[in-house]
Amino acid sequence: MRPTPIELFLLVLLFFSLHSQTLSKHHPTINRLLHRLDSLRPTPSVQESAAKGLLQRLIPTHFHSFDFTIISKDVCGGSSCFLIENYDGPRRMGPEIVIKGTTGVEIASGLHWYLKYKCNAHVSWDKTGGIQISSVPQPGHLPRLDSKRILIRRPVPWNYYQNVVTSSYSYVWWGWGRWEREIDWMALQGINLPLAFTGQEAIWQKVFKRFNISKEDLDDYFGGPAFLAWARMGNLHAWGGPLSKNWLGDQLLLQKRILSRMLELGMTPVLPSFSGNVPSALRKIYPGANITRLDDWNTVDGDSRWCCTYLLNPSDPLFIDIGEAFIKQQIEEYGKITNIYNCDTFNENTPPTSEPKYISSLGAAVYKAMSKGNKDAVWLMQNDKARTSSFHAMIFEKLSYLRPTFVQGWLFSSDSKFWKPPQMKALLHSVPFGKMIVLDLFAEVKPIWNTSAQFYATPYIWCMLHNFGGNIEMYGNLESISSGPVDARVSENSTMVGVGMCMEGIEHNPVVYELMSEMAFRDEKVDVQKWLKSYARRRYMKENHQVEAAWEILYHTVYNCTDGIADHNTDFIVKLPDWDPSSSVQGESRETDPYMISTDPYETKRRFLLQDDNSGLPKAHLWYSTKEVIKALQLFLEAGDDLFGSLTYRYDMVDLTRQVLSKLANKVYFEAVTAFVKKDIGSLRRLSDKFLELIKDIDVLLASDDNFLLGTWLESAKKLARNVDERKQYEWNARTQVTMWYDSKDVNQSKLHDYANKFWSGLLEDYYLPRATLYFNEMLKSLGDKKKLEIEEWRREWITMSHKWQQSSSEIYPVKAKGDALAISRHLLHKYFT
């Protein structure tokens, strides 16, 4: 029988659907790459033992309840997978559940899947509530599978993790204990392609010594511990340094332990490669080398002590020599453990021509440096937005389609006059196919894959960026996360080979990261509403209708940001606007209020704060109905008597209360400065007092949960120190990063002040509160004296106070919570919203 036209049409659709999903499975180059990486993994027994060690740390009472086995990809049809089966052998003191996987990571993922969906357990970062396993039945009583087995295949080979700055915003003060827990978390989430940047300065010290660079030269080259990410990228040098011998040695040893555990579990670490950033002393040693002094990056006045680093042009033969030496030195230190290297280069190298052949030659030179060190090297291209914001005129600013450009916009749209298809292809095709993998870094908000012909047939990883500066803000787009990777993978001629999480900081918004992690194993879109009900039940260890209703609201509000704005927390408590309101706010019309506040005490007429960048008005991101989120908080608190024993509930409750109050503070701030413009000193005093009172109240709230404490950050920094000088230096680094970040002078605050702001108890009371107090006092003085606001006087006084706080080491901030979080949250809801 001949097929009907409709049947033929459906067959054609099926063909193209299958074709669009098969790059990673059938393309021989990708298969060869995967085979080479598989050959670098340890033996099955090593991986099984590592997975058993993870089980022992996660749930030691059930060590004998599971049997782990490494299996071939052939069992899974050529893909990576895990299998969960009932154990049918003798059960006396033996295993109950068998988990098989193609690597140790797949076994750990299978364990996590079973604990989640058969035992209602929950795995979260310690700082977002921790692991909840009380719902797991006792050994001998684990739930059996209803079916013969559960088989879950990876739809794409890789699950990538980290951003090049996460090492500074989140990991900088970690010792092995915290790293071990993180690697366990990574394995449970299915991460098999993690960035591994720790300790590289010790490698660089050995490499540069061969090129006659001294320790003194490197003291001026390396940044301090909390600023290493930006020194590595060539944004700055020496800021927060120098690095001690202890630091260099300890971090190298730590890196070896990190890599060892990653490898034991079957992960493929991504190591750094040479990007061209060199010590200034190299110019004197090699006077003929093509070395360019880069422009200033965000210093107040171009201070040469830490600005204006040096870049060795990739076309110079010395670039190849240094790049090769760095790769080989890592192999000497760690062994042949990976073929994938991260590189972010060309940052300040202005092209003399847009000729594709020239651009291609630069890309080829970068890859040559890698491949001479490791003939099987693959270039993982990730650029970080930190450079984009400063160097948007340079060549790799033109190549920065992998990161958001918040000042100049996105590369392919904003710089389309330069970056035509021939130029894009020139870079992407400058290395052999399969030797470059692109990170579509901000795909959950601004995907590039769908506007760049799938990166011109170059394999890419669909990534979620989500967080900036490690800020604390409830935010996300769950629908985008649940559907975006699937849409990209099944699109016509898809070149997608992985999913990834590229946040700048971790340990926040656990719902976002759990859903994104699951997308590494999901071949269909997730029903988010159904998934959230399961998530809430697991996270709080029981079913509760009020909290389910609260999550339904949060799903449609806080976690439904679709405005395309990158959510860098600019709430006015943690990033107080540095401006003179009298020169910016005009008139009394509410229609000109940037918050569009209605007569309802806390409802927004519009949900977006989208202002012209030249308006001069302060900006704070608001994308949802605050009235609805207050309802969610009320529901959360109604569930408190039932759920308060849950640490995850307490974390979410405190975070949600903080979110509601911080948005209220934004409104109060703007009302206060409006009163100032109207010269209404009575209203200004009342509203400024309310703003300051909100800071104090939020500090008390945050102090009631261990996970929102400044003391934890500072004490972890001091704990790494070996002597008094290091202790003082590390504490200064820790204090500075979360406040001024970079240099400030006289009446000029750091251009990066509050970039890494945090809602932490102690930071609000001792840093944000004094700043706001000084600011409003100047306003009140201005109206009282009937004189112009002395904004520069406030800046001078505030910067002086900030410097003192950064350099102080006398205060010891708590590392343990105090107070009843539920009672405090209920009191604050009643106080501000009754």
Side-chain angles (χ1 to χ4, degrees):
M1 181 182 294
R2 297 177 63 186
T4 67
I6 292 178
E7 288 173 329
L8 283 171
F9 176 70
L10 291 174
L11 284 171
V12 170
L13 283 180
L14 176 62
F15 170 79
F16 280 110
S17 174
L18 291 172
H19 173 72
S20 69
Q21 300 177 49
T22 54
L23 172 70
S24 62
K25 188 173 181 180
H26 296 293
H27 197 288
T29 304
I30 297 298
N31 279 340
R32 285 194 296 270
L33 170 59
L34 291 169
H35 179 72
R36 286 195 299 270
L37 293 173
D38 287 344
S39 70
L40 298 177
R41 291 196 175 95
T43 63
S45 62
V46 170
Q47 296 182 64
E48 290 163 2
S49 177
K52 272 290 191 178
L54 186 157
L55 173 63
Q56 175 71 35
R57 292 185 293 275
L58 177 68
I59 182 168
T61 53
H62 290 67
F63 182 77
H64 298 291
S65 299
F66 295 90
D67 182 69
F68 293 160
T69 304
I70 295 289
I71 57 175
S72 167
K73 287 183 179 179
D74 295 337
V75 178
C76 313
S79 302
S80 296
C81 77
F82 60 78
L83 276 164
I84 308 173
E85 299 174 337
N86 294 320
Y87 181 77
D88 292 325
R91 296 185 61 187
R92 185 179 180 184
M93 298 300 292
E96 302 170 70
I97 297 296
V98 177
I99 300 178
K100 302 174 182 179
T102 46
T103 71
V105 170
E106 270 70 32
I107 289 176
S109 301
L111 172 66
H112 188 198
W113 199 275
Y114 174 81
L115 292 175
K116 277 205 292 190
Y117 291 112
K118 296 300 291 184
C119 303
N120 289 318
H122 176 70
V123 174
S124 182
W125 286 303
D126 289 350
K127 287 198 71 174
T128 57
I131 296 167
Q132 307 300 320
I133 55 174
S134 62
S135 61
V136 179
Q138 290 298 310
H141 301 281
L142 289 181
R144 292 175 64 82
L145 305 185
D146 298 327
S147 58
K148 181 179 179 180
R149 66 180 188 177
I150 296 173
L151 169 62
I152 304 291
R153 296 184 181 92
R154 287 188 188 268
V156 284
W158 287 302
N159 187 1
Y160 175 81
Y161 185 57
Q162 296 185 37
N163 185 299
V164 293
V165 302
T166 318
S167 58
S168 289
Y169 283 133
S170 294
Y171 308 151
V172 56
W173 309 122
W174 287 5
W176 170 243
R178 180 60 187 87
W179 261 112
E180 184 174 51
R181 295 195 299 277
E182 184 71 6
I183 296 170
D184 284 352
W185 181 90
M186 289 160 54
L188 291 163
Q189 307 299 335
I191 292 160
N192 59 4
L193 192 66
L195 207 61
F197 270 28
T198 301
Q200 63 178 278
E201 282 67 32
I203 304 292
W204 278 119
Q205 184 182 51
K206 296 177 182 181
V207 170
F208 279 129
K209 186 176 181 180
R210 302 180 198 172
F211 294 87
N212 298 314
I213 298 295
S214 68
K215 180 188 179 301
E216 290 70 28
D217 296 330
L218 292 178
D219 286 346
D220 183 60
Y221 175 65
F222 295 142
F227 303 96
L228 283 176
W230 300 274
R232 292 165 181 169
M233 291 188 291
N235 299 137
L236 53 82
H237 66 98
W239 179 252
L243 297 179
S244 68
K245 182 179 179 181
N246 291 332
W247 175 273
L248 293 170
D250 291 346
Q251 291 292 298
L252 181 59
L253 290 175
L254 179 60
Q255 169 75 336
K256 290 180 177 180
R257 296 188 75 175
I258 291 168
L259 292 174
S260 178
R261 181 59 55 79
M262 287 178 174
L263 294 167
E264 289 167 1
L265 286 163
M267 298 178 185
T268 298
V270 178
L271 293 177
S273 62
F274 181 48
S275 64
N277 182 30
V278 295
S280 62
L282 200 70
R283 295 173 300 149
K284 297 177 181 179
I285 299 169
Y286 295 90
N290 186 354
I291 298 175
T292 303
R293 187 174 190 261
L294 306 182
D295 288 342
D296 177 37
W297 184 81
N298 286 319
T299 65
V300 167
D301 57 1
D303 195 322
S304 61
R305 289 177 295 172
W306 29 78
C307 96
C308 312
T309 58
Y310 291 87
L311 187 74
L312 176 62
N313 193 296
S315 63
D316 193 295
L318 188 60
F319 186 101
I320 307 296
D321 294 341
I322 296 176
E324 177 186 3
F326 183 58
I327 297 292
K328 287 184 174 179
Q329 185 64 44
Q330 290 185 97
I331 293 174
E332 182 179 329
E333 292 285 345
Y334 312 136
K336 181 72 179 295
I337 61 172
T338 188
N339 293 329
I340 301 186
Y341 298 90
N342 171 270
C343 186
D344 177 13
T345 191
F346 300 139
N347 189 32
E348 288 290 305
N349 193 6
T350 306
T353 174
S354 61
E355 173 60 41
K357 287 184 179 180
Y358 177 78
I359 294 172
S360 181
S361 69
L362 294 178
V366 173
Y367 178 70
K368 184 178 180 181
M370 293 183 198
S371 60
K372 285 197 72 176
N374 179 348
K375 64 181 178 61
D376 297 319
V378 175
W379 179 1
L380 182 72
M381 186 182 289
Q382 171 186 320
N383 297 329
D384 182 76
K385 74 175 185 61
R387 294 187 180 188
T388 309
S389 62
S390 176
F391 302 135
H392 34 270
M394 301 303 180
I395 179 171
F396 230 66
E397 204 47 51
K398 300 181 185 295
L399 305 182
S400 62
Y401 50 84
L402 307 183
R403 64 189 178 206
T405 308
F406 299 115
V407 177
Q408 294 295 323
W410 296 88
L411 168 76
F412 290 162
S413 59
S414 67
D415 204 10
S416 58
K417 290 183 179 179
F418 173 86
W419 212 252
K420 301 294 185 182
Q423 286 75 33
M424 288 187 273
K425 290 179 183 178
L427 172 70
L428 295 172
H429 294 176
S430 63
V431 302
F433 181 82
K435 296 294 187 178
M436 176 186 286
I437 301 172
V438 176
L439 297 182
D440 196 353
L441 202 68
F442 204 13
E444 87 276 22
V445 174
K446 292 187 180 292
I448 304 300
W449 66 266
N450 57 359
T451 59
S452 63
Q454 302 268 349
F455 296 100
Y456 294 95
T458 302
Y460 77 94
I461 295 175
W462 192 102
C463 293
M464 177 188 77
L465 179 53
H466 187 256
N467 176 267
F468 301 91
N471 297 159
I472 297 172
E473 167 97 292
M474 294 181 73
Y475 156 81
N477 185 341
L478 297 182
E479 279 298 329
S480 175
I481 294 167
S482 68
S483 61
V486 178
D487 290 339
R489 180 175 54 81
V490 302
S491 63
E492 186 175 357
N493 299 319
S494 176
T495 58
M496 178 179 161
V497 294
V499 296
M501 297 183 288
C502 298
M503 61 285 121
E504 289 193 352
I506 64 167
E507 298 177 321
H508 51 79
N509 291 287
V511 65
V512 171
Y513 292 89
E514 179 156 342
L515 180 58
M516 186 63 226
S517 295
E518 279 199 17
M519 297 313 295
F521 295 100
R522 296 278 190 177
D523 59 3
E524 295 180 347
K525 297 180 182 180
V526 175
D527 183 333
V528 179
Q529 287 180 292
K530 182 178 178 182
W531 184 88
L532 276 174
K533 286 186 178 181
S534 170
Y535 172 83
R537 185 169 61 252
R538 290 183 284 106
R539 183 157 171 80
Y540 309 126
M541 298 179 290
K542 63 171 66 175
E543 188 173 349
N544 182 280
H545 296 303
Q546 287 108 325
V547 89
E548 284 183 7
W551 271 108
E552 176 76 12
I553 294 172
L554 295 176
Y555 164 50
H556 291 291
T557 53
V558 168
Y559 291 111
N560 186 35
C561 184
T562 59
D563 59 18
I565 296 177
D567 188 66
H568 188 176
N569 193 339
T570 52
D571 285 349
F572 298 149
I573 286 178
V574 293
K575 190 165 186 178
L576 190 72
D578 182 357
W579 71 315
D580 183 348
S582 59
S583 64
S584 301
V585 178
Q586 302 295 329
E588 300 181 12
S589 172
R590 284 205 173 275
E591 282 69 34
T592 63
D593 184 332
Y595 283 96
M596 304 298 287
I597 303 299
S598 73
T599 54
D600 191 307
Y602 192 43
E603 172 63 337
T604 53
K605 191 181 297 181
R606 285 175 56 93
R607 286 179 292 182
F608 306 115
L609 173 56
L610 298 174
Q611 296 172 240
D612 181 82
D613 285 341
N614 298 319
S615 67
L617 296 171
K619 293 171 281 292
H621 191 197
L622 184 62
W623 62 96
Y624 58 82
S625 163
T626 53
K627 188 174 183 179
E628 288 299 306
V629 175
I630 292 171
K631 289 180 183 177
L633 177 58
Q634 290 170 333
L635 288 165
F636 240 85
L637 296 180
E638 287 173 11
D641 294 334
D642 185 35
L643 298 179
F644 194 63
S646 163
L647 295 178
T648 43
Y649 168 79
R650 188 177 73 180
Y651 172 87
D652 290 346
M653 178 197 66
V654 170
D655 201 24
L656 181 55
T657 308
R658 174 211 56 76
Q659 180 90 1
V660 166
L661 294 177
S662 67
K663 300 308 176 188
L664 172 62
N666 292 343
K667 173 182 177 292
V668 172
Y669 169 86
F670 207 86
E671 289 177 344
V673 295
T674 302
F676 170 76
V677 172
K678 294 177 180 179
K679 297 181 171 53
D680 183 349
I681 193 169
S683 293
L684 173 60
R685 182 173 286 109
R686 174 178 56 83
L687 290 163
S688 62
D689 284 347
K690 186 175 181 180
F691 185 86
L692 301 176
E693 189 171 6
L694 274 162
I695 298 178
K696 296 174 185 177
D697 283 342
I698 296 174
D699 191 272
V700 171
L701 169 72
L702 299 175
S704 67
D705 188 280
D706 290 338
N707 304 300
F708 296 95
L709 304 178
L710 171 64
T712 305
W713 172 255
L714 297 183
E715 291 306 312
S716 63
K718 291 185 280 187
K719 188 176 179 180
L720 287 187
R722 296 275 206 94
N723 54 54
V724 173
D725 289 341
E726 288 178 356
R727 180 185 174 95
K728 183 177 180 180
Q729 179 193 12
Y730 297 174
E731 183 171 1
W732 182 91
N733 270 254
R735 286 172 177 254
T736 298
Q737 189 204 84
V738 298
T739 53
M740 278 296 182
W741 204 108
Y742 210 9
D743 69 324
S744 54
K745 185 178 180 181
D746 298 330
V747 296
N748 294 311
Q749 288 197 77
S750 162
K751 294 178 182 179
L752 296 174
H753 71 88
D754 302 313
Y755 182 93
N757 65 66
K758 302 291 189 294
F759 271 99
W760 284 340
S761 177
L763 196 58
L764 269 72
E765 179 77 24
D766 287 355
Y767 191 83
Y768 299 136
L769 178 63
R771 175 171 65 182
T773 300
L774 290 173
Y775 184 72
F776 285 118
N777 283 347
E778 284 296 331
M779 282 187 173
L780 290 166
K781 186 173 183 293
S782 170
L783 293 186
D785 295 345
K786 297 182 179 181
K787 293 181 179 179
K788 180 182 176 182
L789 176 65
E790 296 291 344
I791 192 68
E792 289 203 351
E793 182 59 32
W794 167 73
R795 289 171 182 154
R796 180 177 287 104
E797 192 172 357
W798 165 243
I799 290 170
T800 299
M801 184 179 292
S802 177
H803 284 172
K804 289 180 180 178
W805 188 87
Q806 290 167 247
Q807 295 163 6
S808 175
S809 58
S810 57
E811 312 99 324
I812 304 298
Y813 290 94
V815 295
K816 292 294 182 183
K818 62 178 180 180
D820 183 332
L822 179 59
I824 293 168
S825 292
R826 285 173 169 170
H827 166 71
L828 294 177
L829 177 69
H830 178 79
K831 177 177 180 178
Y832 288 106
F833 301 108
T834 299

